[in-house]
Amino acid sequence: MSNDSTVPPADDAADHPPWARELAEQFLAGASCLFVLHGDVHDVVRPPGDGRPSSYVGVGEYLATQLFGSWDVVLRHDLGRGLRAFAGADGDRLRKMVAKLSEKIGEPKTWPRDPDAALDLLDRLVQSNLMETDPAKRLSIAVVFEHAEFLLPSSELAQLSGPLGSRLVRLLSWARDPNVKRNNMAFCLMTDQLAEINERLVGSPYVSALTVPMPVADERRRFVEWFDARDGQPGNLAEFAPAQLADLTAGLNLVSLERMMTLAERSGVKLDADALKKRKKALIEAQARGLVEFVEPPYSMDDFVGNEGVKKRLIDDAKLLARGRLDAAPMGYLICGPVGTGKTYLAECFAGSVGVPCVKLRNFRSKYVGETEANLERLLTVLRAMGPVVVVIDEADAALGTREGSGDSGTSSRVFSMIASQMGDTRYRGKLIWMLLTSRPDLLPIDLKRQGRAEVHLPLFNPPDDEEVRAMFLAMGRKNKFRIDPALLPGGLAGRGLSGADVESVVLSAKRLALIDGRDQATALDVTAALDDFVPSAQGLEKEKQELAAVLECSSKSFLTPEWRELVERPEARAKLQERMAAIRRVIEE
């Protein structure tokens, strides 16, 4: 079955974006007449043509004026403004549309605003068109539903007994009807997140879901060249060439890029490196709706003390990334160890050394049906466009869910599946670098820890000797802008079992004592008093279990301390460690 439609792309197919070509090909082949466009649907698109476009248009207008530009009728609908004819800036075409529609369903001023009544009216138009015996009077009709997530939101089955169910059945009936497909009628639903559309519509074999991707570097370059040349004075908006600016704005869509350049245009101040960094950060966080937080620490790997094998691995990987050797980068890291060993600090130090953007995921979970998956889909879309980027997930065992998630309508298992799928996509090696932080790696699903996902497992341990503890006191002093003279530190520090967090707490206590006395430097009495007053955590068995879990997860012997390395090389050492860990778990549970 095929259509006789004149839907573009035709001679200028190469000028149309891939998603538009795929939509046209599927429609012309008769595969579908109902399409769900998702992703960057609220961006602007470059119209086709031999020269540069006079302007960019929104995706909805692109559908109406380009893809369905030769059709008799194009209608657009959203809950805010209801149903209306649409022909872009072509007034003559709009008048012809209104005249044809008035004969079929009455004048536009009589069209209802209520969405269910509007769908009834559309159904009358569809049925009238199918029953038309005169081919010359039969119309080619396209309907674009903008913000379709508010018309057909994701929902539980129990909610489909009312108007929502009626809307769903009506659209599915159009999609299944072979007569609708043969008579040049098409329906396009637009949403930025596919997970927000009712899954019974998206999952239908009669419906085609097409992704509108974020713009790539070449598309951003063309947009910058077009925007910059509008006043006839190219180069007056930024201190970068268009190709450089396109590379530096990875992760932005064209609407955000336009906002950035418009600010430069109106202020009369060229975009420099600092302004670009600040505005890009704000725009990307806005695109992700506040679900990501940029990490811009003042630290580097030079500030990290101890765990020399781990430190060397990350320094070497940072150098590879700086040289652009993304193919040699791991898909991700699992950083584990007892609480207080500096997992978050290590991630921040790596972010300060690696030379690519680093973000932390904020809580993307929601109590509303489908919104958690939609939030995660939005996050992944932005991150893929930003690459290369380091993605830090703290408390990963709690944040990522499991394959066997229960009690939440399957949300946890779907979140887990989406994360695991993205982490294992080797097309993004070196572009999305995952850092999973947890003190309980034993609770993290094995699917995320396997090779090809979080494949490098880095264990962190408390400082094992006095020399390393002293070095950590100095590092924590630098971090908190309060220098500790090594000569003030007593001996026997390693025997106190201090973690990095414990050392920082002692440094801050000594700093407080000095400031109370009106001094900027600590004395030996301040340090001794802070050490004597400090009470370490009594959770000895819990910390031992966490340390054992880190050792068992370690993916390279070079990451271990000499003592642990010697131990794990003994026969049946891993089995004994597992037995000890199981015994501790039983004691804690009891």
Side-chain angles (χ1 to χ4, degrees), residues 152 272 587:
L152 288 164
D272 58 15
V587 171

Side-chain angles (χ1 to χ4, degrees), residues 157-215:
L157 183 61
Q159 297 175 291
L160 295 177
S161 58
L164 179 57
S166 298
R167 298 174 197 172
L168 181 63
V169 170
R170 194 183 301 275
L171 265 74
L172 286 173
S173 67
W174 293 340
R176 287 194 297 263
D177 192 336
N179 294 315
V180 171
K181 294 179 183 179
R182 281 196 293 264
N183 283 278
N184 289 343
M185 287 184 275
F187 309 90
C188 296
L189 283 71
M190 292 170 51
T191 180
D192 54 353
Q193 304 302 323
L194 187 63
E196 292 179 340
I197 294 289
N198 194 281
E199 56 275 10
R200 288 165 182 81
L201 181 79
V202 175
S204 169
Y206 302 99
V207 176
S208 180
L210 302 176
T211 302
V212 180
M214 296 278 283

Side-chain angles (χ1 to χ4, degrees), residues 6-302:
T6 56
V7 175
D11 297 334
D12 57 351
D15 285 340
H16 290 268
W19 61 265
R21 295 199 299 269
E22 185 175 356
L23 188 154
E25 289 166 2
Q26 290 200 28
F27 182 82
L28 292 170
S32 182
C33 67
L34 198 154
F35 303 89
V36 180
L37 301 180
H38 62 97
D40 195 28
V41 296
H42 301 305
D43 205 0
V44 291
V45 186
R46 178 181 184 270
D50 296 331
R52 287 186 297 185
S54 58
S55 65
Y56 279 68
V57 298
V59 173
E61 184 172 349
Y62 183 89
L63 289 169
T65 61
Q66 302 297 323
L67 219 57
F68 303 115
S70 61
W71 284 34
D72 297 318
V73 168
V74 178
L75 291 160
R76 68 194 303 188
H77 176 274
D78 63 56
L79 291 188
R81 290 173 289 182
L83 195 66
R84 58 205 186 279
F86 187 57
D90 191 339
D92 289 338
R93 185 182 177 215
L94 181 63
R95 283 189 288 273
K96 291 177 183 178
M97 283 186 190
V98 170
K100 292 173 180 176
L101 287 166
S102 297
E103 295 178 6
K104 297 280 187 179
I105 55 175
E107 295 183 1
K109 63 182 180 182
T110 66
W111 297 350
R113 292 283 297 274
D114 178 77
D116 298 301
L119 286 177
D120 284 339
L121 188 69
L122 278 176
D123 196 48
R124 280 173 45 200
L125 177 62
V126 169
Q127 299 306 320
S128 170
N129 206 44
L130 291 177
M131 295 174 63
E132 179 59 64
T133 56
D134 185 354
K137 295 183 179 180
R138 196 173 297 140
L139 303 177
S140 52
I141 302 170
V143 185
V144 178
F145 295 93
E146 297 178 322
H147 304 286
E149 65 271 21
F150 297 106
L151 185 69
L152 288 164
S154 178
S155 63
E156 301 288 350
L157 183 61
Q159 297 175 291
L160 295 177
S161 58
L164 179 57
S166 298
R167 298 174 197 172
L168 181 63
V169 170
R170 194 183 301 275
L171 265 74
L172 286 173
S173 67
W174 293 340
R176 287 194 297 263
D177 192 336
N179 294 315
V180 171
K181 294 179 183 179
R182 281 196 293 264
N183 283 278
N184 289 343
M185 287 184 275
F187 309 90
C188 296
L189 283 71
M190 292 170 51
T191 180
D192 54 353
Q193 304 302 323
L194 187 63
E196 292 179 340
I197 294 289
N198 194 281
E199 56 275 10
R200 288 165 182 81
L201 181 79
V202 175
S204 169
Y206 302 99
V207 176
S208 180
L210 302 176
T211 302
V212 180
M214 296 278 283
V216 297
D218 188 56
E219 292 170 313
R220 294 193 299 274
R221 177 189 56 76
R222 288 198 295 181
F223 182 84
V224 169
E225 290 174 341
W226 166 77
F227 191 98
D228 197 23
R230 292 180 311 160
D231 60 359
Q233 296 179 327
N236 65 338
L237 296 181
E239 294 183 354
F240 310 98
Q244 289 178 302
L245 188 57
D247 289 336
L248 292 170
T249 52
L252 294 181
N253 61 19
L254 300 186
V255 167
S256 295
L257 186 54
E258 182 179 29
R259 286 178 59 189
M260 180 184 290
M261 298 187 71
T262 299
L263 285 171
E265 184 178 51
R266 292 180 178 176
S267 67
V269 179
K270 284 188 176 184
L271 274 173
D272 58 15
D274 289 339
L276 176 63
K277 183 178 180 181
K278 181 179 178 181
R279 291 176 187 174
K280 177 183 175 180
K281 175 177 177 285
L283 289 169
I284 285 183
E285 288 179 346
Q287 281 182 194
R289 300 187 186 178
L291 298 173
V292 298
E293 174 190 356
F294 274 79
V295 179
E296 299 179 281
Y299 323 119
S300 70
M301 289 304 300
D302 293 335

Side-chain angles (χ1 to χ4, degrees), residues 309-321:
V310 169
K311 182 176 178 179
K312 183 179 184 306
R313 171 61 193 247
L314 290 178
I315 289 174
D316 290 343
D317 286 352
K319 289 178 180 177
L320 286 172
L321 288 170

Side-chain angles (χ1 to χ4, degrees), residues 304-311 468 471-472:
F304 189 77
V305 173
N307 296 277
E308 292 302 321
V310 169
K311 182 176 178 179
E468 194 166 302
M472 189 162 289

